[in-house]
Amino acid sequence: FDNQPYRVLLTGFGPTIRFPENPSWLAVKPLHNTVLEAEGLYRPRPTLHDDQNAMIVDEDGPRPRQIHITSFLIPVEYDAVLACVPGIHSTPTVLPHTDNDGLPYIAPPDDGYDFILHVGIAGRGPLRMEKVAHKLGYRLKDSKGNFAPVVAAESGFGKGFENFDDDVYTDIDVEKLVVHLKDSGIDQVYTSMDAGHYLCDFLYFSSLAAARRDKRKNGHSPDRESDITKVLSIQIPPVGQPLSSEEVTEAIRRIILWVC
């Protein structure tokens, strides 16, 4: 059994003209610096046998493996995404020192996060579990009035991204995750193939591509799922349309438990 806790990074977006308090950040902020216990996954409490010096489970029994969560605020800016993403997927991992809405800084794990969940905002309706991110088609200005940086043709991504397909899919089985959420009482959720070609989509593509690219740099095969940080993006509605911020936070908590 691995004695190390799972390390999870949640990202939400900063304010916009329409949303001075971005609902995505309101949903992930309460989970910062919290610890969950992975249901059904246990690690033994080691003790030493007198004769064989072997590890066994002590009388207290197994204890659940922990999940440590960090929440991180990303401005609604293309440049901010491109400045942040390489570090959170590098080895050792680098999480920028920012104000982060006043939350305490948590040093990232040297060997990378196990799961990164990017949360963004869409229109009224259910939670949208995004299966795919897109490389092309970013024609909308960000919160500073800037377009996505153009490197070649319509691509908004820089060196190192050109070899990726136009559509990049998450390794997570989104269909099964949605079924699990519905079975657990979260009915307002569905799968999506269109993350919007805006900042949510831009961040998702950058993060999925960086996870695979950096493993290649470190000598790992990108086909080995166990070597690649799991990345997922969900889009949530404005507060109360129809879900409250607390309901979204609970859904995020259940997503983390299921993935881990």
Side-chain angles (χ1 to χ4, degrees):
F1 287 88
D2 188 346
N3 287 330
Q4 298 298 317
Y6 290 107
R7 295 294 298 272
V8 174
L9 179 67
L10 301 177
T11 71
F13 282 105
T16 66
I17 294 176
R18 183 181 176 190
F19 298 107
E21 290 185 297
N22 197 304
S24 65
W25 181 240
L26 293 177
V28 304
K29 183 178 179 179
L31 291 169
H32 181 72
N33 203 22
T34 62
V35 176
L36 304 179
E37 292 184 344
E39 298 171 355
L41 295 176
Y42 297 94
R43 55 182 179 178
R45 299 175 184 272
T47 59
L48 296 179
H49 191 282
D50 291 340
D51 297 326
Q52 300 179 358
N53 198 39
M55 183 177 291
I56 61 174
V57 177
D58 69 10
E59 295 179 355
D60 292 334
R63 54 184 172 181
R65 189 172 174 185
Q66 291 186 334
I67 304 169
H68 294 188
I69 301 173
T70 300
S71 298
F72 188 73
L73 180 73
I74 298 180
V76 186
E77 302 166 17
Y78 294 110
D79 287 344
V81 170
L82 294 179
C84 172
V85 166
I88 65 176
H89 286 286
S90 66
T91 304
T93 313
V94 178
L95 189 64
H97 280 273
T98 67
D99 174 71
N100 205 30
D101 202 19
L103 298 181
Y105 181 80
I106 300 175
D110 288 339
D111 55 352
Y113 292 99
D114 298 289
F115 175 40
I116 297 177
L117 177 60
H118 300 297
V119 182
I121 183 169
R124 179 183 179 86
L127 301 173
R128 296 171 45 167
M129 312 291 297
E130 302 296 345
K131 299 174 67 173
V132 59
H134 307 94
K135 182 165 68 173
L136 305 177
Y138 294 93
R139 299 180 177 89
L140 299 176
K141 295 179 180 180
D142 63 17
S143 64
K144 284 194 170 180
N146 297 322
F147 289 105
V150 176
V151 176
E154 295 177 303
S155 175
F157 301 92
K159 186 177 181 180
F161 291 101
E162 58 268 32
N163 293 327
F164 286 92
D165 293 337
D166 291 352
D167 299 335
V168 178
Y169 288 78
T170 179
D171 296 320
I172 294 169
D173 192 329
V174 175
E175 300 285 352
K176 285 186 177 180
L177 174 54
V178 167
V179 169
H180 167 76
L181 292 173
K182 287 182 178 291
D183 288 344
S184 68
I186 299 175
D187 296 324
Q188 296 287 334
V189 58
Y190 69 98
T191 63
S192 169
M193 295 287 289
D194 183 6
H197 294 87
Y198 191 48
L199 264 296
C200 298
D201 208 346
F202 190 84
L203 173 59
Y204 199 17
F205 182 91
S206 299
S207 193
L208 285 169
R212 291 163 170 78
R213 181 184 62 181
D214 288 337
K215 290 303 178 185
R216 288 193 183 102
K217 287 181 179 179
N218 287 300
H220 296 286
S221 167
D223 298 323
R224 290 179 56 190
E225 282 193 15
S226 60
D227 283 345
I228 298 176
T229 297
K230 295 292 186 290
V231 178
L232 181 64
S233 176
I234 68 170
Q235 295 199 70
I236 69 172
V239 178
Q241 300 183 31
L243 300 169
S244 69
S245 188
E246 291 77 15
E247 287 174 318
V248 176
T249 300
E250 175 59 19
I252 292 170
R253 188 187 72 84
R254 296 187 191 188
I255 291 167
I256 293 169
L257 287 170
W258 188 87
V259 171
C260 289

